[in-house]
Amino acid sequence: MKLIEPTLLLDKNKCLQNIKRMLKKANQHDVRLRPHFKTAQSWEVGRWYREQGVSGITVSSLKMAEYFAKDGWTDITVAFPVNILEIGRINQLAQQIRLNLLVMNVDSVLYLADHLKKGVDIYIDIDTGYHRTGLPADDYEHIDRILACIRASDKLHFRGFLTHDGHTYQVKGKEAVNKIYQQSVSLLHGLKQKYRPQWPELEVSLGDTPSCSLVEDLSGVDEIRPGNFVFYDLMQATIGSCTAEQIAVVMACPVVTKNEATNTVVIHGGAVHFSKDFLIDEEGKPYYGQMVLLTDEGWTEPVEGYLVALSQEHGTVQLPEDVAESVQVGSVLGVLPVHSCLTADVMGHYFTLEDEKIEMMPK
Amino acid sequence: MKLIEPTLLLDKNKCLQNIKRMLKKANQHDVRLRPHFKTAQSWEVGRWYREQGVSGITVSSLKMAEYFAKDGWTDITVAFPVNILEIGRINQLAQQIRLNLLVMNVDSVLYLADHLKKGVDIYIDIDTGYHRTGLPADDYEHIDRILACIRASDKLHFRGFLTHDGHTYQVKGKEAVNKIYQQSVSLLHGLKQKYRPQWPELEVSLGDTPSCSLVEDLSGVDEIRPGNFVFYDLMQATIGSCTAEQIAVVMACPVVTKNEATNTVVIHGGAVHFSKDFLIDEEGKPYYGQMVLLTDEGWTEPVEGYLVALSQEHGTVQLPEDVAESVQVGSVLGVLPVHSCLTADVMGHYFTLEDEKIEMMPK
């Protein structure tokens, strides 16, 4: 394929391996994989999951739920505290699919009970340590009030407790991630024990990519909802969730100028292609991607070259001397992204190595 | 208008005032305003410039040049070092419009000379201190070699020297910005004096929003190319380029949950709506936006509430107590963006206060 402009390459084979590996692990421990589709945001990638037997999915907005419902998904969890202003869209979607919503306050639940025209499933958002959203696992008073509202409504069906351990992104290695996971499972188990007598079918759902990748035995929960693992990225490689070789996306960027004296090149590839998420190197400096060399079959293992500066369309790359020698104006370099979800989001589409264009959810 | 999901609001009146103010200043000093269209990336906003008499524009990619050429712009500068891999598109576009390209190395110039089918105008990229791209203003040997290649080609027409003072973004206040501007103008003047005998029509072009907003007398250059000023943002307000009231875009975000104890709310509004550019507050903490209250006519002056955390779709807002009292689940808050160019880029479209949808360049 002829690359002439910044292009997000997707190695379908690596992506399929990532899907199959996670699904196998979930099946082994009798846990449902309900993958988060916010990473790829794509019908086509969604179909690769479906071909592997996945039937329920997670999304991060109602708009995204609508998008995937149009492609035939009929069991969708919106893992974002319900936005009551979207009640019209919720009612419309609930007529078509099994819609699972997330709540964390009585106000929203009462509003739903008053305005829903069709039944929906409800998860209560539990904060097991990330402190972004969710009720503390011991806030029984609040949980009981929400459950009472659910019980009183013929439109609300309690499904269980859901958490997102985003704080696994702030640690490194299997041991640290495992510690967070075990803590969360213990809290979720406590809730399950407490509320199962009244709600015998309640489930607990957890789902960050580091936990789902690194924890060996996932049988402590009923459902996992990882998303990023479908592509992985440098952030996950740094945490230890994946190897660099498992990263399934690479930005291909043309070199527009080269400084022979410093072994730096400027590429067409900036914040509108990568987003601005970064990692910090050993010297405390930010970097936005790591270099690979493109080959006929895809790309090589990473080389010691980094995307060290980023403006709207410019990227500055520091190359090792031996690589710099072979790079010139008109070369195309590969860059492993720091955060594949955001890189995919700003790019808006992919090209497979077979030059097939894969569309994403329109903005 | 009914706001139910994250929506980028554009106050057309403020935007028009920003355009008219900059145009008036340019006219007063007999300097051509060639606005950079990478900020709005929109035919509609482009037309507002055209109605004010603007005829030449700046863009940051060939794709963007093609997009605006389709809406009738016939004099376009691509202010990004030419990507020779796009020669096919360059040849196609050069047949339709006056295309001005930027170069900074002999390789690219020789390639253009060999492969162009139609004449293009050429600017040489000069580094006046930002150190992103461009030749040092005293690298006469390199400049002479490029000029010799241009002279030898019947397809290349030398237009002049172009610089971007991105380092004005790293300072604050009129004095500091003025110092950078005067330094750059002095370097550009030196080049003009040296090369005008051979190239009597050569021009010098400069164009960052801080300089163009803060420097009182812009008559030292032939052309200015600011872009961000069309909307401005918190970053520009912090530099001093604008007042908060001149910022023409606001993200409207629904409140999905509220913590009464801490006066924080979570909004639907994350990295896929704002991008991840941030400013640092007095305590050294990052923030991604500042709150305004939405009104029937637009929005208020900023209040002391900040967007303090951002994940893919979640935003956490710290509100002052008096504002928090009036905010509840289902409220819609306004957020002034830190960097409007990237916020616009991730959102993909605007809504005016009159509820008119304004499309942007497709991804």
Side-chain angles (χ1 to χ4, degrees), chain A residues 152-169:
Chain A
S153 164
D154 62 340
K155 298 288 189 295
L156 302 174
H157 314 301
F158 182 50
R159 188 78 177 269
F161 298 102
L162 180 150
T163 190
H164 173 66
D165 280 346
H167 48 318
T168 53
Y169 280 68

Side-chain angles (χ1 to χ4, degrees), chain A residues 2-6 38-39 41 60-64 79-86 89 104-105 107-108 125 130-133 254-258 266-269 271-273 275-278 311-316 328-332 339 341-342 345-349 357 361 363, chain B residues 2-6 38-39 41 60-64 79-86 89 104-105 107-108 125 130-133 254-258 266-269 271-273 275-278 311-316 328-332 339 341-342 345-349 357 361 363:
Chain A
K2 187 149 174 58
L3 297 164
I4 64 166
E5 64 181 341
K38 78 186 171 87
T39 302
Q41 295 183 41
S60 52
S61 68
L62 210 67
K63 179 184 165 191
M64 208 181 287
F80 188 91
V82 67
N83 170 10
I84 59 172
L85 298 172
E86 293 181 311
R89 305 169 78 170
M104 59 170 288
N105 56 64
D107 291 353
S108 301
D125 191 0
Y130 182 33
H131 305 323
R132 182 178 66 180
T133 61
V255 172
V256 296
T257 193
K258 178 181 176 182
V266 172
I267 56 174
H268 188 194
V272 298
H273 309 106
S275 93
K276 286 199 99 166
D277 251 338
F278 56 84
S311 44
Q312 184 161 346
E313 304 247 8
H314 299 71
T316 304
Q328 56 199 355
V329 169
S331 297
V332 179
H339 189 174
C341 308
L342 296 188
D345 181 74
V346 290
M347 285 300 293
H349 54 260
K357 187 175 184 179
M361 181 175 77
K363 282 280 186 184
Chain B
K2 187 151 173 57
L3 296 164
I4 64 165
E5 63 181 342
K38 77 186 171 86
T39 302
Q41 295 185 43
S60 52
S61 68
L62 211 66
K63 179 184 166 192
M64 208 182 288
F80 188 91
V82 66
N83 170 10
I84 59 172
L85 297 172
E86 292 180 312
R89 304 168 79 170
M104 60 170 287
N105 56 63
D107 291 353
S108 300
D125 191 359
Y130 181 33
H131 306 323
R132 181 178 66 180
T133 61
V255 172
V256 295
T257 194
K258 178 182 175 182
V266 172
I267 56 173
H268 188 194
V272 298
H273 308 107
S275 92
K276 286 199 98 165
D277 251 338
F278 56 85
S311 42
Q312 185 161 345
E313 305 245 8
H314 299 71
T316 304
Q328 56 198 355
V329 170
S331 297
V332 179
H339 189 174
C341 308
L342 296 188
D345 181 74
V346 290
M347 285 301 292
H349 54 261
K357 186 173 184 180
M361 180 175 78
K363 283 280 186 182

Side-chain angles (χ1 to χ4, degrees), chain B residues 56-309:
Chain B
I57 65 169
T58 309
V59 297
S60 52
S61 68
L62 211 66
K63 179 184 166 192
M64 208 182 288
E66 291 168 344
Y67 170 77
F68 284 108
K70 274 197 195 127
D71 199 41
W73 294 95
T74 54
D75 177 5
I76 303 181
T77 298
V78 185
F80 188 91
V82 66
N83 170 10
I84 59 172
L85 297 172
E86 292 180 312
I87 187 68
R89 304 168 79 170
I90 290 170
N91 273 323
Q92 203 150 19
L93 199 55
Q95 282 177 2
Q96 303 162 35
I97 65 161
R98 178 175 189 171
L99 183 61
N100 317 303
L101 300 178
L102 184 64
V103 301
M104 60 170 287
N105 56 63
V106 172
D107 291 353
S108 300
V109 179
L110 286 177
Y111 188 92
L112 288 178
D114 278 355
H115 294 82
L116 280 173
K117 292 179 179 155
K118 191 86 174 25
V120 302
D121 282 11
I122 298 288
Y123 284 96
I124 296 178
D125 191 359
I126 300 295
D127 177 12
T128 46
Y130 181 33
H131 306 323
R132 181 178 66 180
T133 61
L135 297 172
D138 61 357
D139 188 355
Y140 303 126
E141 192 202 320
H142 209 147
I143 293 169
D144 286 339
R145 282 166 58 212
I146 289 175
L147 286 174
C149 300
I150 292 175
R151 177 84 74 189
S153 163
D154 63 340
K155 297 287 187 295
L156 303 174
H157 313 300
F158 182 50
R159 189 79 178 267
F161 298 102
L162 180 150
T163 191
H164 174 65
D165 280 345
H167 49 318
T168 54
Y169 280 68
Q170 291 145 22
V171 300
K172 281 185 189 175
K174 189 181 275 199
E175 200 178 331
V177 168
N178 199 51
K179 194 174 161 191
I180 290 174
Y181 175 82
Q182 297 305 340
Q183 223 156 17
S184 299
V185 166
S186 157
L187 291 170
L188 293 173
H189 264 219
L191 285 167
K192 204 170 176 178
Q193 290 303 111
K194 181 170 166 67
Y195 289 99
R196 208 159 37 179
Q198 301 145 262
W199 306 89
E201 292 185 359
L202 87 82
E203 292 187 352
V204 295
S205 170
L206 173 148
D208 54 295
T209 282
S211 293
C212 297
S213 301
L214 284 168
V215 172
E216 277 171 27
D217 183 357
L218 293 168
S219 59
V221 293
D222 299 295
E223 174 181 280
I224 54 171
R225 308 181 321 279
N228 177 282
F229 76 97
V230 70
F231 295 156
Y232 284 125
D233 52 32
L234 287 181
M235 203 181 287
Q236 295 295 340
T238 305
I239 295 166
S241 312
C242 66
T243 63
E245 287 68 36
Q246 289 167 343
I247 300 173
V249 285
V250 147
M251 277 292 302
C253 297
V255 172
V256 295
T257 194
K258 178 182 175 182
N259 186 328
E260 303 274 356
T262 58
N263 293 324
T264 55
V265 296
V266 172
I267 56 173
H268 188 194
V272 298
H273 308 107
F274 286 97
S275 92
K276 286 199 98 165
D277 251 338
F278 56 85
L279 287 165
I280 300 289
D281 71 11
E282 288 172 2
E283 293 170 13
K285 289 182 193 152
Y287 64 99
Y288 304 87
Q290 183 169 5
M291 315 312 297
V292 295
L293 304 180
L294 300 178
T295 65
D296 288 343
E297 297 77 34
W299 55 83
T300 65
E301 292 188 12
V303 301
E304 287 301 309
Y306 296 90
L307 182 56
V308 295

